[in-house]
Amino acid sequence: MAAVLILVPAAAGCGDDDDGEETPPSPPPATSAPVTPEGNAPADPAAARAEVERNWKTFFEATATTEEKVKVLQNGEVLRPLLTAFGSDPNAKKSSAKVTDVKFTSATEADVTYDLLVGGQPALPDSKGTSVLQDNVWKVSAKTLCALVKLSGNATAPGC
């Protein structure tokens, strides 16, 4: 649960309003996996899985900049204030994640199982989240971040 407390200082202040409104997309990184317009998996599942794993590692990596995290988070620009607040939290500098499983539920969505680590030790093992394809980039879903914020005991967070 220590890892969840990382989210506490940054989580206060905005409503939990999932109105489904899309925000302007953030620019994608240079590489992305191609997808098919229909089906239960991307055209190249191995490449997509590698991108999911890489982007989740970046998102939860303590040494990643806010800018790097914005690029791999769904609607990252909207959630930038929350990510910026995390960057100044000393506990956040000890966190990371290890993806243990990726199951594609469509060509644009995947269920992700991961271990949230603090100081290299599992704080939330076998956690469940989702990844979404946005702007041809597999990103950590905003829903995943917002769920972690709620788990920390806060019902609100900027952008959630």
Side-chain angles (χ1 to χ4, degrees):
M1 291 307 281
V4 175
L5 298 179
I6 293 168
L7 303 173
V8 173
C14 291
D16 180 25
D17 184 24
D18 186 19
D19 60 5
E21 183 177 320
E22 287 296 318
T23 59
S26 56
T31 62
S32 62
V35 296
T36 57
E38 297 179 34
N40 290 332
D44 186 346
R49 180 187 172 102
E51 185 177 351
V52 167
E53 290 175 357
R54 182 175 58 251
N55 290 347
W56 276 65
K57 181 178 179 182
T58 297
F59 181 75
F60 285 100
E61 182 62 43
T63 59
T65 66
T66 298
E67 191 60 36
E68 290 170 318
K69 292 179 183 204
V70 164
K71 289 179 182 178
V72 298
L73 177 64
Q74 179 187 25
N75 303 329
E77 284 299 329
V78 171
L79 292 163
R80 182 183 288 274
L82 186 59
L83 295 175
T84 301
F86 290 155
S88 63
D89 186 305
N91 290 322
K93 296 181 189 302
K94 300 175 189 172
S95 69
S96 62
K98 179 182 177 190
V99 172
T100 58
D101 193 26
V102 177
K103 291 185 178 165
F104 294 101
T105 57
S106 75
T108 60
E109 296 183 5
D111 291 335
V112 179
T113 303
Y114 65 102
D115 295 335
L116 188 59
L117 311 171
V118 175
Q121 299 300 314
L124 292 173
D126 295 321
S127 296
K128 305 294 183 195
T130 56
S131 192
V132 296
L133 188 68
Q134 183 180 49
D135 304 322
N136 292 320
V137 177
W138 284 99
K139 299 182 179 187
V140 175
S141 71
K143 182 170 82 171
T144 297
L145 176 60
C146 293
L148 287 170
V149 170
K150 285 181 185 179
L151 189 59
S152 73
N154 288 287
T156 60
C160 289

